[in-house]
Amino acid sequence: MIYTTRFAPSPTGPLHLGHAYSALLAFERAQAADGQFLVRIEDIDQGRARPEWEALIFEDLCWLGLSWATPIMRQSERLDAYAQALEKMWSEGLLYQCDCNRRDITEAVGAPQEGVPIHGPDGVIYPGTCRNLHPRSGPVPQNVTLRLDMHSALRRLTGPLIYTETGIAPGDVDVRRTHPIETMGDIVLARRDMATSYHLSVVVDDAAQIITEVVRGADLADATRIHVILQAVLGLPTPDYHHHRLIRDVNGKRLAKRDDARAIAKYRSEGASPQDIRVLVGL
Ligand code: GLU
C-alpha cells in the first residue's frame, strides 16, 4: 500500500509555527517514503470556520513549498458519510441520546471517588447520567447529543485494539491496557448543532483517504485511543500514528491558534523565508 499522510487544519485561525512543523514533517515523511501528502480541511464547526482562514492556510502551505493532490477533502461536504457511521453504531445499540449540559456534568462529577480520573482526552469524563434514559431503537435521533456507550462497544469488540506509534515513544500501544472506560468514558460522537464530532469525522475521513500514517502533535496522542476504538467499531483500518513534539513559545507554553504572534503570515510579512521557519521549528 502506498504511504499516505495528511495535514488536517481547521480553518478557524491562522497557521502558526506548530502547524508549519506538522505540515512540513508530514510532507517530508511522504516524500521519503515515495508516498502521498494530502490536505484535508476540518471545517465541521461552521460557526468558527471562515473561508478567509482557509485561503490563508493554502497560501501559507504553498509559501512553505508544499504541494498536495487536488481536489482536497473538506469535512463540511462529508456529512452523509458521518451520518452513515452514526447509523451503523446506532443500529448496533452502541449510541445513546444525552441531554446533559456542561453544568449538569460538572455537578454530577462534583464529588468523584478518590483515585477516579476526572478528565479524559475530551474533557470531563461523562458520569453516565443519560446512559439508560432513552430507548436505543427507531431512527437515529437528530439534533441531539449522541454518546458512545464505551462499555458496550468494548464488550462487542473481541479482537486486539492496538496501534503502532512511530513518533514519540515508538512501539505498539494496546488501547485496552489503558483502561478506556475509566479514562475516556462515553465520548460525544454527535452534537446538537453539528451531526458529528471531531473524533468521528477524523476516523471516517482517514479511512476514506486511505491514510497509512497520521502525523500530528503529541497533544492528540491521548485521543488516538478513541480513534482506534471507533475504527474497530466501524470496521475501518487503523493507520500508524506519528505523534510529534510540540512547538512551544519562549516561555515553554504550547502555541495556541490565537497566538497570532507566531502566525506564519506574520513571519512572512516581516520578511522571513521558508528556510527561516524550518530553522525556527528545528527541522
Ligand atoms: N483539525 C485538527 C487540528 O487542527 C487536526 C486533527 C488531526 O490531525 O487529527 O488540530
Side-chain angles (χ1 to χ4, degrees):
M1 205 185 324
I2 174 165
Y3 176 100
T4 306
T5 190
R6 71 347 181 241
F7 176 59
S10 306
T12 54
L15 293 188
H16 56 57
L17 286 181
H19 294 108
Y21 180 56
S22 230
L24 286 163
L25 188 64
F27 185 76
E28 285 184 0
R29 289 182 71 79
Q31 277 195 320
D34 218 357
Q36 277 199 88
F37 169 79
L38 304 177
V39 172
R40 179 170 76 226
I41 295 294
E42 302 213 319
D43 58 352
I44 48 171
D45 187 349
Q46 284 289 301
R48 289 170 62 223
R50 297 266 178 283
E52 310 84 90
W53 292 129
E54 186 180 312
L56 185 61
I57 287 172
F58 292 137
E59 220 179 275
D60 284 343
L61 293 178
C62 283
W63 178 80
L64 283 169
L66 309 190
S67 54
W68 52 90
T70 52
I72 56 133
M73 182 177 276
R74 191 175 277 107
Q75 290 192 325
S76 56
E77 294 167 0
R78 306 243 324 130
L79 300 181
D80 287 352
Y82 311 142
Q84 263 178 35
L86 286 173
E87 174 79 49
K88 175 175 162 56
M89 290 185 278
W90 175 259
S91 68
E92 291 174 7
L94 299 179
L95 303 182
Y96 65 87
Q97 177 178 336
C98 173
D99 308 321
C100 294
N101 59 31
R102 217 178 281 255
R103 192 153 136 221
D104 298 331
I105 298 173
T106 319
E107 279 173 13
V109 297
Q113 292 158 270
E114 214 179 317
V116 177
I118 304 174
H119 292 275
D122 236 6
V124 175
I125 295 170
Y126 184 61
T129 320
C130 294
R131 193 178 295 130
N132 300 309
L133 227 51
H134 297 284
R136 298 188 189 182
S137 52
V140 183
Q142 302 297 313
N143 305 316
V144 298
T145 297
L146 293 174
R147 290 184 179 274
L148 177 70
D149 181 336
M150 188 62 87
H151 192 263
S152 300
L154 288 168
R155 211 176 28 208
R156 179 79 50 91
L157 300 170
T158 47
L161 290 172
I162 293 174
Y163 73 90
T164 301
E165 171 66 61
T166 58
I168 285 173
D172 284 352
V173 179
D174 184 344
V175 173
R176 279 187 205 280
R177 296 184 69 168
T178 68
H179 308 288
I181 297 173
E182 297 80 4
T183 62
M184 296 193 275
D186 296 350
I187 48 143
V188 170
L189 293 187
R191 295 178 193 283
R192 230 177 291 252
D193 56 346
M194 173 165 72
T196 184
S197 68
Y198 158 65
H199 300 301
L200 180 65
S201 314
V202 87
V203 159
V204 169
D205 291 346
D206 282 338
Q209 293 192 298
I210 319 181
I211 300 300
T212 60
E213 184 183 70
V214 171
V215 178
R216 62 186 177 194
D219 52 333
L220 286 166
D222 201 24
T224 298
R225 302 180 299 139
I226 297 176
H227 302 169
V228 172
I229 291 169
L230 288 178
Q231 284 149 2
V233 166
L234 293 169
L236 302 174
T238 292
D240 290 347
Y241 286 87
H242 187 94
H243 293 106
H244 60 70
R245 66 184 163 84
L246 299 179
I247 305 295
R248 297 178 186 275
D249 68 12
V250 280
N251 302 314
K253 230 179 86 228
R254 218 182 99 202
L255 298 177
K257 272 253 163 74
R258 59 194 169 281
D259 194 355
D260 291 357
R262 310 282 150 166
I264 306 302
K266 179 123 192 300
Y267 285 101
R268 275 170 55 192
S269 70
E270 288 169 359
S273 69
Q275 182 56 26
D276 294 333
I277 302 291
R278 300 179 64 88
V279 171
L280 277 169
V281 299
L283 271 171

